[in-house]
Amino acid sequence: MDSRELRECAAVALSVLDLTNLKDDCTSAEIEDLCARATSPLGHTAAICIWPRFIAQARAILGTESPVRIATVVNFPSGDLDVATVVAETRAALADGADEIDLVIPYRAFMAGDEAAVERMIAAVRAEIAAPALLKTILETGELKSASLVSRASQIAIAGGADFIKTSTGKVSVNATLEAADLMLQEIRASGRKVGFKPAGGISTVKDASLYFRHASAIMGEDWVMPSTFRFGASGLFNDIQAIMTGEKATGQKADSQTSSY
């Protein structure tokens, strides 16, 4: 990839980035900085992704007309909360100004064979979210560990009305992988529905991002990668995007390698 292609890739990556801070010790000052970076002179990100407790602050900073959407997480990161609690989390987040809900499916129950638990959770949260707000379902693919489970979880989420299917919370040892991306994108294509894809966790350079762009384009078509159908969930990726777009020397370093049993 030459420097021109790298800059073009960086610009696309910026436009589909969910700039994320889900650190346990995240502060209000860091949210203020996140909002500033999301609306930098380089262009704006698709969204920020933050803890529910910071939604009202971010909405006050960004206002109601900002092109940057506010995403938050529910049933996060364990996936083990009961449906009523997750519904309450979702309602509160929407009331505070969230535009997008990233829901962790009850993946441990799913791994134990309880598909109905996943269906109930998605249905209950989906019922709370009216357009233009979006539901993104986190499958935690690195914990599912098998291709059949990743594919089946994708099918359930798509059938349940998810607007996006997302790989990971970023809180486990294996997060986004190209193997998981392939399985999830294949299920999106097979469904015939307009469902987006969000790889999250471990994507830290534009060169990393380009691999996912190429994979998505090969499966879904050249014009498919856009904010309405593709997002990155990342915190460090913005730094490499910025370095490339401003002409500074980018690190060019790969994210830590992750292994998969798919």
Side-chain angles (χ1 to χ4, degrees):
M1 182 181 294
D2 63 28
S3 59
R4 179 187 59 81
E5 292 172 325
L6 197 60
R7 287 193 299 271
E8 290 175 352
C9 186
V12 176
L14 179 66
S15 74
V16 299
L17 179 62
D18 284 6
L19 185 60
T20 301
N21 189 329
L22 292 171
K23 297 189 302 181
D24 292 338
D25 60 353
C26 180
T27 66
S28 295
E30 288 175 315
I31 294 301
E32 188 171 348
D33 177 66
L34 195 77
C35 291
R37 288 189 290 141
T39 54
S40 77
L42 297 174
H44 65 80
T45 66
I48 57 172
C49 188
I50 57 178
W51 290 108
R53 64 183 181 272
F54 295 116
I55 296 168
Q57 178 194 354
R59 178 55 67 204
I61 294 170
L62 293 173
T64 57
E65 302 301 322
S66 174
V68 178
R69 295 170 68 88
I70 297 174
T72 195
V73 289
V74 299
N75 204 23
F76 187 94
S78 70
D80 290 335
L81 299 179
D82 62 86
V83 170
T85 299
V86 179
V87 167
E89 287 184 329
T90 302
R91 288 176 180 168
L94 294 169
D96 282 346
D99 300 300
E100 302 178 2
I101 302 295
D102 287 27
L103 163 71
V104 182
I105 67 166
Y107 63 89
R108 291 187 181 89
F110 174 66
M111 292 167 65
D114 190 357
E115 291 190 358
V118 181
E119 293 168 345
R120 285 193 299 271
M121 181 68 75
I122 293 174
V125 175
R126 174 75 271 177
E128 299 297 324
I129 302 171
L134 300 178
L135 170 61
K136 308 209 288 288
T137 55
I138 304 173
L139 308 185
E140 202 67 291
T141 54
E143 294 295 286
L144 297 184
K145 291 184 170 60
S146 77
S148 60
L149 287 179
V150 173
S151 294
R152 183 58 184 146
S154 299
Q155 293 166 2
I156 293 170
I158 292 168
D163 296 298
F164 276 76
I165 52 176
K166 174 178 171 181
T167 59
S168 324
T169 61
K171 299 288 189 179
V172 295
S173 59
V174 176
N175 293 290
T177 65
L178 289 171
E179 294 93 338
D182 181 77
L183 294 164
M184 295 166 72
L185 288 163
Q186 295 287 358
E187 293 301 335
I188 290 171
R189 185 174 67 177
S191 75
R193 290 192 56 226
K194 183 182 177 181
V195 178
F197 170 62
K198 180 178 173 179
I203 302 163
S204 61
T205 71
V206 172
K207 288 183 178 179
D208 291 334
S210 71
L211 300 176
Y212 286 90
F213 286 154
R214 287 201 292 268
H215 213 71
S217 295
I219 294 171
M220 302 301 298
E222 290 297 325
D223 298 326
W224 192 77
V225 172
M226 62 184 72
S228 61
T229 50
F230 190 103
R231 301 285 184 87
F232 284 121
S235 55
L237 178 58
F238 180 86
N239 296 331
D240 201 49
I241 291 171
Q242 184 178 47
I244 290 168
M245 293 183 71
T246 59
E248 299 173 9
K249 185 179 179 181
T251 64
Q253 295 175 347
K254 297 295 290 179
D256 292 340
S257 62
Q258 296 181 349
T259 59
S260 168
S261 59
Y262 302 155

